[in-house]
Amino acid sequence: MAMVTNWMSQTLPSLVGLNGTIISPEGTHERIVSGLYPGSEEGWQVYSTASDPDGRCVCTVVAPAQNLCKRDPRSRQLRLLTEQVCLCLCNVSQSMEVVDLRTSRDLQYVRDSEPLLRGVDGRIHTYVANPRSLTVKGLQELKGQMSQLRPLLSVVEQYRTDLQTLATLRVELLNLSIILTAIQEEIGAYDYEELQQRVLLLETRLHACMNKLGCGRLTGVSSPITVRASGSRFGSWMTDAMIPSSDSRVWSMDGYYKGRRVLEYRTMGDFTKGQNFVQHLLPHPWAGTGHVVYNGSLYYNKHQSNILVQYHFRSRSVVLQRSLSGAGYNNTFPYSWGGSSDIDLMADETGLWAVYTSIPNAGNILVSRLDPRSLEVLQSWDTGFPKRSAGEAFMICGTLYVTNSHLAGSKVHFAYHTNSSTYEYTDIPFHNQYSHISMMDYNPRERALYTWNNGHQVLYNVTLFHVIRSDG
């Protein structure tokens, strides 16, 4: 039986995902979908399990990439219940302390007043039994004693208030009892250590499955996910396309003309909040927005030249420069939006690429695979597609995908497959939410499209069609 799985992995720092469809040797289909959404704190949940009309198992799961139990909604419910317990206990404790302190003080006052109270009580009984025994002097003495006892009225009034406080505490304790019962039911229903181990195992299996999928053909682009609104109309932002997923740094480069300032954020969460960043000041200004971070280095086009620059973040230095022979620059062959976008560097599952054109190619897009250590061109393909007619372009699994516009209504219109040197026209729409895309790059590590759209940093998940062949 084939297995259909919808997989959504949610975490703020990554905010990316993979959609895939598999054709097994028997012709049955498997589908894996993952997508990340900012701000979500949902944990692993099995939404539904069922069989489709063809008898295939269908299961929908939502799974976080890390902090599994912390993001589990049941764990969150327990945390909220615990906070309520703490608040309730705090209220009860403080109220009890106040009542106890006041009661101790008032009780001592009553004890000190007891002889006087007994004396007044005796005098009153005597005067009631024998009214003639009441003299002016005796009446004055009785009034004096009564004046001394008058503070007892406030004590009695305070006792009435304390009775109300105790009634409130009774309600608090009843609420506490209900909450503790709920916690007991939650804890009793789930063995969290066992759940966490099962979740870790499932996550490992899902990632292993994703790695087995490898490359695929683009068949769909998700709705946009706006991560942040910052910077000018043009710019680029990215995560490293190659390093391990444990490195969650984000880089931002505002503008397309003579920029030198690169902001490095520690995590995606820091990027969304605009905090915890360091600044790199490049020795050479950049041109365009076609930059890429690959294996710890920034690769970019040097301003007013066709020179490619490799800037190493850790050493904060330029380690390599090389001319991309024949490539147009300085708005000779830009994308349709201009912006000195003559040379677009990008990375996919197969390596580092340059997308550009030259006069001998009559302005058609050239795709060259680069050696990241030397920036030497390893192989080039002439796609035949005019670069000025392209809104943006990106590589997935060795295939160049080109959009027909940078404005609203754009779609993925053209695909060139370097493995077969063939092309096709496609019709893959996507929502250009802010109507002016000046950067669109695929990240193979996170399998999502990063875009800079009119001062907004936006992500798209992608759907990839996979064919898996096995020996029986």
Side-chain angles (χ1 to χ4, degrees):
M1 180 180 289
M3 188 72 171
V4 180
T5 306
N6 288 325
W7 174 30
M8 295 184 179
S9 178
Q10 306 182 29
T11 172
L12 185 65
S14 295
L15 304 175
V16 293
L18 156 74
N19 294 356
T21 303
I22 307 169
I23 300 294
S24 68
E26 295 81 7
T28 54
H29 293 69
E30 299 187 30
R31 180 179 178 83
I32 291 185
V33 183
S34 71
L36 307 174
Y37 302 90
S40 174
E41 293 184 358
E42 290 295 326
W44 288 80
Q45 296 184 69
V46 177
Y47 280 135
S48 64
T49 56
S51 296
D52 66 9
D54 298 326
R56 297 174 297 176
C57 295
V58 179
C59 177
T60 300
V61 179
V62 173
Q66 50 188 320
N67 297 327
L68 304 176
C69 284
K70 180 180 178 182
R71 294 182 180 269
D72 193 300
R74 292 183 294 269
S75 175
R76 182 172 56 184
Q77 178 66 14
L78 284 178
R79 186 169 64 253
L80 292 175
L81 290 173
T82 304
E83 290 173 357
Q84 293 179 30
V85 169
C86 291
L87 180 60
C88 183
L89 287 175
C90 182
N91 291 338
V92 170
S93 176
Q94 290 179 351
S95 299
M96 290 297 292
E97 287 180 4
V98 171
V99 171
D100 181 63
L101 180 62
R102 193 161 53 229
T103 301
S104 299
R105 181 197 64 195
D106 293 345
L107 184 59
Q108 185 61 44
Y109 181 77
V110 171
R111 286 173 179 169
D112 293 340
S113 303
E114 186 176 2
L116 183 60
L117 189 60
R118 289 184 182 278
V120 170
D121 183 63
R123 279 175 176 268
I124 292 175
H125 277 85
T126 299
Y127 296 149
V128 169
N130 184 12
R132 295 186 176 211
S133 64
L134 180 61
T135 64
V136 174
K137 180 180 179 181
L139 183 58
Q140 292 296 329
E141 289 177 354
L142 182 60
K143 286 183 177 180
Q145 290 175 328
M146 291 297 291
S147 297
Q148 295 179 47
L149 292 173
R150 188 169 297 159
L152 283 176
L153 293 175
S154 61
V155 172
V156 173
E157 186 63 32
Q158 189 61 60
Y159 275 134
R160 290 178 181 172
T161 303
D162 288 346
L163 284 175
Q164 295 177 356
T165 301
L166 291 173
T168 303
L169 292 181
R170 181 176 180 275
V171 174
E172 291 279 358
L173 290 173
L174 287 175
N175 291 336
L176 179 60
S177 176
I178 294 171
I179 293 171
L180 289 174
T181 301
I183 289 178
Q184 184 179 9
E185 291 175 354
E186 287 285 342
I187 294 177
Y190 306 102
D191 183 342
Y192 277 91
E193 290 186 3
E194 180 183 352
L195 276 178
Q196 184 175 13
Q197 292 303 317
R198 292 172 62 187
V199 163
L200 289 172
L201 177 61
L202 181 57
E203 185 188 41
T204 301
R205 291 172 62 186
L206 286 172
H207 280 290
C209 181
M210 186 180 75
N211 291 333
K212 287 181 181 179
L213 289 178
C215 279
R217 179 168 56 86
L218 180 68
T219 59
V221 178
S222 75
S223 298
I225 303 167
T226 301
V227 177
R228 187 183 177 193
S230 67
S232 65
R233 190 177 189 185
F234 313 97
S236 61
W237 71 296
M238 64 218 80
T239 56
D240 199 311
M242 182 179 175
I243 58 175
S245 58
S246 57
D247 189 330
S248 56
R249 289 177 295 172
V250 179
W251 291 269
S252 175
M253 301 168 69
D254 190 12
Y256 70 85
Y257 183 74
K258 297 180 67 174
R260 296 178 58 198
R261 184 166 163 262
V262 182
L263 299 184
E264 176 187 305
Y265 295 85
R266 187 180 58 182
T267 65
M268 184 68 76
D270 290 332
F271 174 73
T272 60
K273 297 173 184 176
Q275 64 183 22
N276 293 331
F277 63 86
V278 296
Q279 176 177 289
H280 297 267
L281 194 62
L282 301 179
H284 309 294
W286 70 69
T289 59
H291 328 300
V292 65
V293 175
Y294 188 80
N295 196 25
S297 291
L298 170 69
Y299 293 84
Y300 69 95
N301 175 209
K302 188 176 179 180
H303 176 63
Q304 289 189 335
S305 74
N306 59 12
I307 294 175
L308 308 182
V309 180
Q310 179 187 1
Y311 175 86
H312 190 251
F313 283 116
R314 180 171 295 179
S315 65
R316 290 178 172 266
S317 63
V318 170
V319 296
L320 184 62
Q321 295 187 66
R322 190 183 190 102
S323 175
L324 186 59
S325 181
Y329 61 91
N330 199 26
N331 273 329
T332 303
F333 298 110
Y335 289 127
S336 60
W337 63 273
S340 300
S341 55
D342 302 76
I343 298 175
D344 192 0
L345 300 174
M346 55 191 70
D348 69 353
E349 292 83 353
T350 63
L352 185 64
W353 300 84
V355 172
Y356 59 103
T357 191
S358 64
I359 293 177
N361 288 89
N364 293 330
I365 292 178
L366 283 173
V367 183
S368 293
R369 187 174 179 183
L370 305 177
D371 183 342
R373 295 166 296 183
S374 64
L375 290 177
E376 180 183 356
V377 173
L378 302 177
Q379 189 175 354
S380 295
W381 294 261
D382 185 345
T383 67
F385 192 92
K387 191 165 186 292
R388 287 183 175 273
S389 298
E392 273 289 339
F394 54 89
M395 297 288 297
I396 298 180
C397 300
T399 295
L400 177 72
Y401 294 94
V402 181
T403 68
N404 65 337
S405 173
H406 62 283
L407 302 173
S410 55
K411 61 182 178 180
V412 180
H413 176 66
F414 178 84
Y416 186 89
H417 309 287
T418 60
N419 61 343
S420 60
S421 299
T422 60
Y423 70 89
E424 62 178 313
Y425 287 94
T426 60
D427 186 10
I428 305 174
F430 62 93
H431 181 37
N432 187 346
Q433 186 172 3
Y434 304 105
S435 303
H436 198 289
I437 293 177
S438 60
M439 167 258 178
M440 191 174 209
D441 269 342
Y442 171 73
N443 187 296
R445 178 172 66 112
E446 297 171 336
R447 303 196 177 190
L449 292 174
Y450 281 63
T451 68
W452 189 290
N453 195 337
N454 214 357
H456 297 79
Q457 291 72 54
V458 181
L459 288 173
Y460 293 89
N461 294 319
V462 298
T463 300
L464 302 180
F465 182 86
H466 302 267
V467 178
I468 293 183
R469 297 178 176 83
S470 61
D471 297 331

